[in-house]
Every structure is written in C-alpha cells, then in structure tokens.
Coordinates of all heavy atoms in Angstrom, one line a residue:
M56 N -8.6 -7.8 -4.3 CA -8.4 -8.7 -3.3 C -7.9 -8.0 -2.1 O -7.1 -7.1 -2.2 CB -7.4 -9.8 -3.6 CG -7.0 -10.7 -2.5 SD -5.7 -11.9 -3.0 CE -6.7 -13.1 -3.9
A57 N -8.6 -8.1 -0.9 CA -8.1 -7.5 0.3 C -6.7 -7.9 0.6 O -6.1 -8.8 0.2 CB -9.1 -8.0 1.4
L58 N -6.1 -6.9 1.4 CA -4.7 -7.1 1.8 C -4.7 -7.2 3.3 O -5.4 -6.5 4.1 CB -4.0 -5.8 1.3 CG -2.5 -5.8 1.5 CD1 -1.9 -6.6 0.4 CD2 -2.0 -4.4 1.3
T59 N -3.8 -8.1 3.8 CA -3.5 -8.2 5.2 C -2.1 -8.4 5.4 O -1.4 -9.0 4.7 CB -4.2 -9.4 5.9 OG1 -3.7 -10.6 5.2 CG2 -5.7 -9.3 5.7
F60 N -1.6 -7.7 6.5 CA -0.2 -7.8 6.9 C 0.0 -8.9 7.8 O -0.9 -9.3 8.6 CB 0.3 -6.5 7.6 CG 0.5 -5.3 6.6 CD1 -0.3 -4.2 6.7 CD2 1.4 -5.4 5.6 CE1 -0.2 -3.2 5.9 CE2 1.5 -4.3 4.7 CZ 0.7 -3.2 4.8
G61 N 1.1 -9.5 7.8 CA 1.5 -10.6 8.6 C 1.5 -10.2 10.1 O 1.7 -9.0 10.4
P62 N 1.7 -11.1 11.1 CA 1.8 -10.7 12.5 C 3.0 -10.1 12.8 O 3.1 -9.5 14.0 CB 1.6 -12.1 13.1 CG 2.0 -13.2 12.2 CD 1.6 -12.5 10.8
D63 N 4.0 -10.3 12.1 CA 5.2 -9.7 12.4 C 5.5 -8.2 11.7 O 6.7 -7.8 11.6 CB 6.5 -10.6 12.0 CG 6.4 -11.9 12.8 OD1 6.0 -11.8 13.9 OD2 6.8 -12.9 12.1
V64 N 4.4 -7.6 11.2 CA 4.5 -6.3 10.6 C 3.7 -5.3 11.4 O 2.6 -5.5 11.7 CB 3.9 -6.4 9.2 CG1 3.9 -5.0 8.5 CG2 4.7 -7.5 8.4
S65 N 4.4 -4.3 11.8 CA 3.8 -3.2 12.6 C 3.6 -1.9 11.6 O 4.5 -1.8 10.8 CB 4.6 -2.8 13.8 OG 4.8 -3.9 14.6
T66 N 2.5 -1.3 11.8 CA 2.3 -0.1 11.0 C 2.2 1.2 11.8 O 1.6 1.0 13.0 CB 1.1 -0.2 10.0 OG1 -0.1 -0.3 10.9 CG2 1.3 -1.5 9.2
A67 N 2.5 2.4 11.3 CA 2.3 3.5 12.0 C 2.1 4.6 11.0 O 3.0 4.9 10.1 CB 3.5 3.9 12.9
E68 N 1.0 5.3 11.0 CA 0.8 6.4 10.1 C 1.4 7.7 10.6 O 1.4 7.9 11.8 CB -0.8 6.6 9.8 CG -1.4 5.6 9.0 CD -2.8 6.0 8.4 OE1 -3.0 7.1 8.2 OE2 -3.6 5.0 8.2
T69 N 1.9 8.4 9.7 CA 2.6 9.6 10.0 C 2.0 10.7 9.2 O 1.2 10.6 8.5 CB 4.2 9.6 9.7 OG1 4.3 9.5 8.4 CG2 4.8 8.3 10.3
D70 N 2.5 12.0 9.5 CA 2.1 13.2 8.7 C 2.5 13.0 7.1 O 2.0 13.6 6.3 CB 2.7 14.5 9.1 CG 2.3 14.8 10.4 OD1 1.1 14.2 10.9 OD2 2.9 15.6 11.2
Y71 N 3.5 12.0 6.8 CA 3.9 11.8 5.5 C 3.6 10.5 4.8 O 4.1 10.3 3.7 CB 5.5 12.1 5.5 CG 6.0 13.3 6.2 CD1 6.5 13.3 7.6 CD2 5.7 14.6 5.6 CE1 6.8 14.4 8.1 CE2 6.1 15.7 6.2 CZ 6.6 15.6 7.5 OH 7.0 16.8 8.1
G72 N 2.8 9.7 5.4 CA 2.4 8.5 4.8 C 2.3 7.5 5.9 O 1.8 7.7 7.1
T73 N 2.8 6.3 5.7 CA 2.9 5.1 6.7 C 4.2 4.6 6.7 O 4.9 4.4 5.7 CB 1.8 4.1 6.3 OG1 0.5 4.7 6.2 CG2 1.7 2.8 7.2
V74 N 4.6 4.1 8.0 CA 5.8 3.3 8.0 C 5.5 1.9 8.4 O 4.7 1.7 9.3 CB 6.8 3.9 9.1 CG1 8.0 3.1 9.4 CG2 7.1 5.4 8.8
L75 N 6.1 1.0 7.8 CA 5.8 -0.6 7.9 C 7.2 -0.9 8.7 O 8.3 -0.7 8.1 CB 5.6 -1.3 6.9 CG 4.4 -0.7 5.9 CD1 4.3 -1.6 4.6 CD2 3.0 -0.8 6.6
L76 N 7.0 -1.8 9.7 CA 8.2 -2.3 10.3 C 8.1 -3.9 10.2 O 7.1 -4.5 10.6 CB 8.3 -2.0 11.9 CG 9.5 -2.8 12.6 CD1 10.8 -2.6 12.0 CD2 9.3 -2.5 14.0
D77 N 9.0 -4.4 9.5 CA 9.2 -5.9 9.3 C 9.9 -6.4 10.5 O 11.2 -6.2 10.5 CB 9.8 -6.3 8.0 CG 9.9 -7.8 7.8 OD1 9.6 -8.6 8.8 OD2 10.2 -8.1 6.7
E78 N 9.4 -6.8 11.6 CA 9.9 -7.3 12.8 C 10.9 -8.4 12.6 O 11.8 -8.6 13.3 CB 9.0 -7.5 13.9 CG 8.2 -6.2 14.2 CD 7.0 -6.5 15.2 OE1 7.0 -7.5 15.9 OE2 6.2 -5.5 15.3
R79 N 10.6 -9.4 11.6 CA 11.5 -10.5 11.3 C 12.9 -10.0 10.9 O 13.8 -10.6 11.4 CB 10.9 -11.4 10.2 CG 9.5 -11.9 10.6 CD 8.9 -12.5 9.4 NE 8.7 -11.4 8.4 CZ 8.4 -11.6 7.1 NH1 8.1 -12.8 6.6 NH2 8.3 -10.5 6.4
A80 N 12.8 -9.1 10.0 CA 14.1 -8.6 9.3 C 14.6 -7.4 9.9 O 15.8 -7.0 9.7 CB 13.9 -8.5 7.8
G81 N 13.8 -6.6 10.7 CA 14.2 -5.4 11.4 C 14.4 -4.3 10.4 O 15.2 -3.4 10.4
T82 N 13.6 -4.3 9.3 CA 13.6 -3.3 8.2 C 12.4 -2.5 8.2 O 11.4 -3.0 8.5 CB 13.8 -4.0 6.8 OG1 12.8 -5.0 6.6 CG2 15.2 -4.6 6.7
Y83 N 12.5 -1.3 7.9 CA 11.4 -0.4 7.7 C 11.1 -0.2 6.2 O 11.9 -0.1 5.3 CB 11.8 1.0 8.3 CG 11.8 1.0 9.8 CD1 13.1 0.7 10.5 CD2 10.7 1.2 10.5 CE1 13.1 0.7 11.9 CE2 10.8 1.3 12.0 CZ 11.9 1.0 12.6 OH 12.0 1.0 13.9
W84 N 9.8 0.1 5.9 CA 9.2 0.5 4.6 C 8.5 1.8 4.9 O 7.8 1.9 5.8 CB 8.3 -0.6 4.0 CG 8.9 -1.9 3.7 CD1 9.7 -2.7 4.4 CD2 8.9 -2.5 2.5 NE1 10.1 -3.8 3.9 CE2 9.7 -3.7 2.6 CE3 8.4 -2.2 1.2 CZ2 9.7 -4.6 1.5 CZ3 8.5 -3.1 0.2 CH2 9.2 -4.2 0.3
E85 N 8.7 2.6 3.9 CA 7.9 3.9 4.0 C 7.0 4.0 2.8 O 7.3 3.9 1.7 CB 8.9 5.1 3.9 CG 9.7 5.2 5.3 CD 10.5 6.4 5.2 OE1 10.1 7.6 5.1 OE2 11.8 6.2 5.3
L86 N 5.7 4.3 3.1 CA 4.7 4.5 2.1 C 4.4 5.9 2.0 O 4.1 6.6 3.1 CB 3.5 3.7 2.3 CG 3.6 2.2 2.5 CD1 2.2 1.6 2.9 CD2 4.1 1.6 1.1
N87 N 4.4 6.5 0.8 CA 3.9 7.9 0.7 C 2.4 8.0 0.8 O 1.7 6.9 1.1 CB 4.4 8.5 -0.6 CG 3.8 7.8 -1.8 OD1 2.9 7.1 -1.8 ND2 4.5 8.0 -3.0
P88 N 1.8 9.2 0.8 CA 0.4 9.3 0.9 C -0.5 8.4 0.0 O -1.5 7.9 0.3 CB 0.0 10.8 0.8 CG 1.4 11.4 1.3 CD 2.4 10.5 0.7
T89 N 0.0 8.4 -1.3 CA -0.6 7.5 -2.4 C -0.6 6.1 -1.8 O -1.7 5.3 -1.8 CB 0.0 7.7 -3.6 OG1 -0.1 9.1 -4.0 CG2 -0.8 6.9 -4.8
G90 N 0.6 5.6 -1.5 CA 0.7 4.1 -1.0 C -0.2 3.9 0.3 O -0.7 2.9 0.4
T91 N -0.2 4.9 1.1 CA -1.1 4.7 2.3 C -2.5 4.6 2.0 O -3.2 3.8 2.5 CB -0.8 6.0 3.2 OG1 0.6 5.9 3.7 CG2 -1.8 6.0 4.4
L92 N -3.0 5.4 1.0 CA -4.4 5.3 0.5 C -4.7 3.9 -0.1 O -5.7 3.3 0.2 CB -4.7 6.4 -0.4 CG -6.1 6.4 -1.0 CD1 -7.1 6.7 0.0 CD2 -6.1 7.6 -2.1
V93 N -3.8 3.4 -0.9 CA -3.9 2.1 -1.5 C -4.0 1.1 -0.4 O -5.0 0.3 -0.4 CB -2.7 1.8 -2.4 CG1 -2.8 0.4 -3.0 CG2 -2.8 2.8 -3.7
V94 N -3.1 1.1 0.5 CA -3.0 0.1 1.6 C -4.3 0.1 2.4 O -4.9 -0.9 2.7 CB -1.7 0.1 2.3 CG1 -1.9 -0.7 3.7 CG2 -0.6 -0.3 1.7
R95 N -4.7 1.3 2.8 CA -5.9 1.6 3.6 C -7.1 0.9 2.9 O -7.9 0.2 3.5 CB -6.1 3.0 4.0 CG -7.2 3.2 5.0 CD -7.5 4.7 5.3 NE -6.3 5.3 5.8 CZ -5.8 6.4 5.2 NH1 -6.5 7.1 4.3 NH2 -4.7 7.0 5.8
T96 N -7.2 1.3 1.7 CA -8.4 0.8 0.9 C -8.4 -0.7 0.8 O -9.5 -1.3 1.1 CB -8.3 1.4 -0.5 OG1 -8.4 2.8 -0.5 CG2 -9.5 0.9 -1.4
L97 N -7.3 -1.3 0.6 CA -7.3 -2.8 0.5 C -7.4 -3.4 1.9 O -8.0 -4.5 2.0 CB -6.0 -3.2 -0.1 CG -5.7 -2.8 -1.6 CD1 -4.3 -3.1 -2.1 CD2 -6.7 -3.4 -2.5
M98 N -6.9 -2.9 2.9 CA -7.1 -3.4 4.2 C -8.5 -3.3 4.8 O -9.0 -4.1 5.6 CB -6.2 -2.9 5.2 CG -4.7 -3.3 4.9 SD -3.5 -2.7 6.2 CE -3.9 -3.8 7.4
E99 N -9.2 -2.4 4.3 CA -10.7 -2.1 4.6 C -11.6 -3.1 3.8 O -12.8 -2.9 3.9 CB -11.0 -0.7 4.5 CG -10.3 0.2 5.6 CD -10.6 1.7 5.4 OE1 -11.2 2.0 4.4 OE2 -10.3 2.5 6.3
G100 N -11.0 -4.0 3.0 CA -11.8 -4.8 2.3 C -12.1 -4.6 0.8 O -12.7 -5.4 0.0
G101 N -11.4 -3.5 0.4 CA -11.6 -3.2 -1.1 C -10.7 -3.9 -1.9 O -9.8 -4.6 -1.4
D102 N -10.9 -3.9 -3.2 CA -10.1 -4.6 -4.1 C -9.2 -3.6 -4.9 O -9.3 -2.4 -4.6 CB -10.8 -5.5 -5.1 CG -11.8 -4.8 -5.9 OD1 -11.7 -3.7 -6.1 OD2 -12.7 -5.5 -6.5
E103 N -8.4 -4.1 -5.8 CA -7.5 -3.2 -6.5 C -8.2 -2.2 -7.4 O -7.7 -1.0 -7.4 CB -6.5 -4.1 -7.4 CG -5.4 -4.7 -6.7 CD -5.7 -6.1 -6.1 OE1 -6.9 -6.5 -6.2 OE2 -4.8 -6.8 -5.6
A104 N -9.4 -2.6 -7.9 CA -10.2 -1.5 -8.6 C -10.6 -0.4 -7.7 O -10.6 0.7 -8.1 CB -11.4 -2.3 -9.3
D105 N -11.0 -0.8 -6.4 CA -11.4 0.3 -5.5 C -10.2 1.2 -5.1 O -10.4 2.4 -5.0 CB -11.9 -0.4 -4.2 CG -13.2 -1.3 -4.4 OD1 -14.0 -0.7 -5.2 OD2 -13.3 -2.3 -3.8
A106 N -8.9 0.5 -5.1 CA -7.8 1.4 -4.7 C -7.5 2.2 -5.8 O -7.1 3.4 -5.6 CB -6.6 0.4 -4.5
V107 N -7.7 1.8 -7.1 CA -7.5 2.8 -8.2 C -8.3 3.9 -8.3 O -8.0 5.1 -8.5 CB -7.5 1.9 -9.6 CG1 -7.6 2.8 -10.8 CG2 -6.4 0.9 -9.8
T108 N -9.7 3.6 -8.0 CA -10.7 4.7 -7.9 C -10.3 5.7 -6.8 O -10.5 7.0 -6.9 CB -12.1 4.1 -7.7 OG1 -12.3 3.2 -8.8 CG2 -13.1 5.2 -7.5
A109 N -9.9 5.2 -5.7 CA -9.5 6.1 -4.5 C -8.3 7.0 -5.0 O -8.3 8.2 -4.6 CB -9.1 5.2 -3.3
V110 N -7.3 6.4 -5.7 CA -6.2 7.2 -6.0 C -6.5 8.2 -7.1 O -6.2 9.4 -6.9 CB -5.1 6.3 -6.6 CG1 -3.9 7.1 -7.3 CG2 -4.4 5.4 -5.4
T111 N -7.4 7.8 -8.1 CA -7.7 8.8 -9.0 C -8.6 9.9 -8.6 O -8.7 11.0 -9.1 CB -8.3 8.1 -10.3 OG1 -9.5 7.3 -9.9 CG2 -7.2 7.2 -11.1
T112 N -9.4 9.6 -7.6 CA -10.3 10.5 -6.9 C -9.5 11.5 -6.1 O -9.7 12.8 -6.1 CB -11.3 9.9 -6.0 OG1 -12.1 9.0 -6.9 CG2 -12.2 10.8 -5.3
A113 N -8.5 11.1 -5.4 CA -7.7 11.9 -4.5 C -6.6 12.7 -5.1 O -6.2 13.7 -4.6 CB -7.1 11.0 -3.3
F114 N -6.0 12.1 -6.2 CA -4.9 12.6 -6.8 C -5.1 12.9 -8.4 O -5.9 12.0 -8.9 CB -3.7 11.8 -6.6 CG -3.4 11.5 -5.1 CD1 -3.7 10.4 -4.5 CD2 -2.6 12.5 -4.4 CE1 -3.4 10.2 -3.2 CE2 -2.4 12.3 -3.1 CZ -2.8 11.2 -2.5
D115 N -4.4 13.7 -8.9 CA -4.4 14.0 -10.4 C -3.6 13.0 -11.1 O -2.4 13.3 -11.3 CB -4.1 15.5 -10.7 CG -4.3 15.8 -12.1 OD1 -5.0 15.1 -12.8 OD2 -3.6 16.7 -12.7
V116 N -4.1 11.8 -11.3 CA -3.4 10.8 -12.0 C -4.2 10.0 -12.9 O -5.3 9.8 -12.7 CB -2.7 9.8 -10.9 CG1 -3.8 9.1 -10.1 CG2 -1.8 8.8 -11.5
D117 N -3.6 9.6 -14.1 CA -4.4 8.9 -15.0 C -4.7 7.4 -14.5 O -3.9 6.9 -13.8 CB -3.3 8.7 -16.3 CG -3.8 7.8 -17.4 OD1 -4.7 8.4 -18.0 OD2 -3.5 6.7 -17.5
P118 N -5.9 7.0 -14.8 CA -6.3 5.7 -14.3 C -5.4 4.6 -14.7 O -5.2 3.7 -13.9 CB -7.7 5.5 -14.9 CG -8.2 6.9 -15.2 CD -7.0 7.7 -15.6
D119 N -4.8 4.5 -15.9 CA -3.9 3.5 -16.3 C -2.7 3.5 -15.5 O -2.2 2.5 -15.1 CB -3.5 3.6 -17.7 CG -4.7 3.3 -18.7 OD1 -5.6 2.5 -18.2 OD2 -4.8 3.8 -19.9
Q120 N -2.1 4.8 -15.2 CA -0.9 4.9 -14.3 C -1.3 4.4 -13.0 O -0.5 3.8 -12.2 CB -0.4 6.3 -14.4 CG 0.8 6.5 -13.5 CD 2.0 5.6 -14.0 OE1 2.3 5.8 -15.2 NE2 2.6 4.8 -13.3
A121 N -2.4 4.8 -12.5 CA -2.9 4.4 -11.1 C -3.0 2.9 -11.0 O -2.5 2.3 -10.0 CB -4.2 5.1 -10.7
R122 N -3.4 2.3 -12.0 CA -3.6 0.8 -12.0 C -2.2 0.1 -12.0 O -2.0 -0.8 -11.2 CB -4.4 0.3 -13.2 CG -4.2 -1.1 -13.6 CD -4.8 -2.2 -12.6 NE -6.2 -2.0 -12.5 CZ -7.0 -2.5 -11.6 NH1 -6.4 -3.2 -10.7 NH2 -8.2 -2.3 -11.5
R123 N -1.3 0.6 -12.8 CA 0.1 0.1 -12.7 C 0.7 0.2 -11.3 O 1.4 -0.7 -10.8 CB 0.9 0.7 -13.8 CG 0.6 0.2 -15.2 CD 1.5 0.8 -16.3 NE 1.7 2.2 -16.3 CZ 0.9 3.0 -17.1 NH1 -0.1 2.3 -17.9 NH2 1.1 4.2 -17.2
D124 N 0.5 1.4 -10.8 CA 1.2 1.7 -9.5 C 0.5 0.9 -8.3 O 1.2 0.3 -7.5 CB 0.9 3.2 -9.1 CG 1.8 4.1 -10.0 OD1 2.7 3.6 -10.7 OD2 1.5 5.4 -9.9
V125 N -0.8 0.7 -8.4 CA -1.5 -0.1 -7.3 C -0.9 -1.6 -7.5 O -0.6 -2.3 -6.5 CB -3.0 -0.1 -7.5 CG1 -3.7 -1.3 -6.7 CG2 -3.5 1.3 -7.1
D126 N -0.9 -2.1 -8.8 CA -0.5 -3.5 -9.0 C 0.9 -3.7 -8.6 O 1.3 -4.7 -8.0 CB -0.6 -3.9 -10.5 CG -2.0 -4.0 -10.9 OD1 -3.0 -4.0 -10.1 OD2 -2.2 -4.0 -12.2
A127 N 1.8 -2.7 -8.7 CA 3.2 -2.7 -8.3 C 3.3 -2.8 -7.0 O 4.2 -3.6 -6.3 CB 4.0 -1.7 -9.1
L128 N 2.7 -2.0 -6.2 CA 2.8 -1.8 -4.6 C 2.3 -3.1 -4.1 O 3.0 -3.7 -3.3 CB 2.0 -0.7 -4.2 CG 1.9 -0.6 -2.7 CD1 3.2 -0.4 -2.0 CD2 1.1 0.6 -2.3
V129 N 1.1 -3.7 -4.6 CA 0.7 -4.9 -4.0 C 1.6 -6.1 -4.3 O 1.9 -6.9 -3.4 CB -0.8 -5.2 -4.7 CG1 -1.3 -6.6 -4.3 CG2 -1.7 -4.2 -4.0
R130 N 2.0 -6.1 -5.5 CA 3.0 -7.2 -5.9 C 4.3 -7.1 -5.0 O 4.8 -8.1 -4.5 CB 3.4 -7.1 -7.4 CG 4.2 -8.2 -7.9 CD 4.3 -8.1 -9.5 NE 4.7 -6.8 -9.9 CZ 3.8 -6.0 -10.6 NH1 2.6 -6.5 -10.9 NH2 4.2 -4.8 -11.1
E131 N 4.8 -6.0 -4.7 CA 6.0 -5.7 -4.0 C 5.7 -6.2 -2.5 O 6.6 -6.8 -1.9 CB 6.4 -4.3 -4.0 CG 7.7 -4.0 -3.2 CD 9.0 -4.1 -4.0 OE1 8.8 -4.3 -5.3 OE2 10.1 -4.2 -3.4
L132 N 4.6 -5.7 -1.9 CA 4.3 -6.2 -0.5 C 4.2 -7.5 -0.4 O 4.6 -8.1 0.6 CB 3.0 -5.3 0.0 CG 3.2 -3.9 0.1 CD1 1.9 -3.2 0.4 CD2 4.1 -3.5 1.2
R133 N 3.5 -8.2 -1.3 CA 3.4 -9.7 -1.2 C 4.6 -10.3 -1.5 O 5.0 -11.4 -0.7 CB 2.2 -10.1 -2.2 CG 0.9 -9.7 -1.8 CD -0.2 -10.3 -2.5 NE -1.5 -10.0 -1.8 CZ -2.6 -9.6 -2.5 NH1 -2.5 -9.4 -3.7 NH2 -3.6 -9.2 -1.8
A134 N 5.5 -10.0 -2.4 CA 6.8 -10.7 -2.7 C 7.7 -10.5 -1.5 O 8.5 -11.4 -1.3 CB 7.4 -10.0 -4.0
S135 N 7.6 -9.4 -0.8 CA 8.6 -9.2 0.4 C 8.1 -10.0 1.5 O 8.8 -10.1 2.6 CB 8.6 -7.7 0.8 OG 7.3 -7.4 1.3
G136 N 6.9 -10.6 1.5 CA 6.3 -11.4 2.6 C 5.7 -10.6 3.7 O 5.2 -11.1 4.7
L137 N 5.5 -9.2 3.5 CA 4.9 -8.3 4.4 C 3.4 -8.6 4.4 O 2.8 -8.4 5.4 CB 5.2 -6.9 4.1 CG 6.6 -6.4 4.3 CD1 6.8 -5.0 3.9 CD2 7.0 -6.5 5.8
A138 N 2.8 -8.9 3.2 CA 1.4 -8.9 3.1 C 0.9 -10.3 2.4 O 1.7 -10.8 1.6 CB 0.9 -7.7 2.4
A139 N -0.3 -10.6 2.7 CA -0.9 -11.7 2.0 C -2.1 -11.3 1.3 O -2.6 -10.2 1.6 CB -1.2 -12.8 3.1

C-alpha cells in the first residue's frame, strides 16, 4: 500500500538518510538510508513487496528480515500519525 505523510509533516533528505519533522508535536524523526529507500518506494506508489525488493537489491539483507523491517517501519510511521 502506498504511503503518504500528513500535511503537518515536513521531510528533508540528507547525506545520511531523511529527517521528518512532525510540526504538530515539534519532534524530529531520522531515517537511515534503508528507511529512506523504503519510504521513497512507498511514496512513489509501490507497495510493501516493492519496498522489500528495493531493500534486498540495494543492501545485503535477507528477504525475511527486509520484510520484517519494512513492516515495522510502516507500522511505526502510521501508529505515530505521521503517515497514512
């Protein structure tokens, strides 16, 4: 399922990943390069399976671990109210 951030979330890519600013709470979230790849894939319309493929293509990681990591990141972003 595609991912979208709420209107109160600002993003900025850095040399080390992506920074998310939750303007409602004034809190920052930092995503490493793997998290950045997952979010970018989902925001471009890909689903979780596409994100897992992107991660296993870009990094030396087991597909099962990649699936768990993608699921955990998406769950966390949605539970925090940052993403829908």
Side-chain angles (χ1 to χ4, degrees):
M56 169 182 285
L58 187 78
T59 58
F60 288 116
D63 296 326
V64 178
S65 298
T66 64
E68 288 199 28
T69 70
D70 291 340
Y71 307 104
T73 300
V74 176
L75 309 175
L76 169 60
D77 180 352
E78 296 173 16
R79 299 165 303 169
T82 56
Y83 288 92
W84 291 59
E85 293 183 60
L86 300 177
N87 64 18
T89 306
T91 297
L92 178 59
V93 169
V94 166
R95 186 181 308 126
T96 301
L97 296 173
M98 291 186 75
E99 291 175 353
D102 62 13
E103 282 87 352
D105 296 322
V107 169
T108 299
V110 168
T111 57
T112 300
F114 302 99
D115 183 23
V116 62
D117 176 75
D119 291 331
Q120 182 63 54
R122 164 65 65 194
R123 288 190 298 272
D124 293 346
V125 167
D126 290 345
L128 176 58
V129 170
R130 189 172 43 254
E131 182 90 13
L132 289 171
R133 289 192 171 130
S135 70
L137 293 174

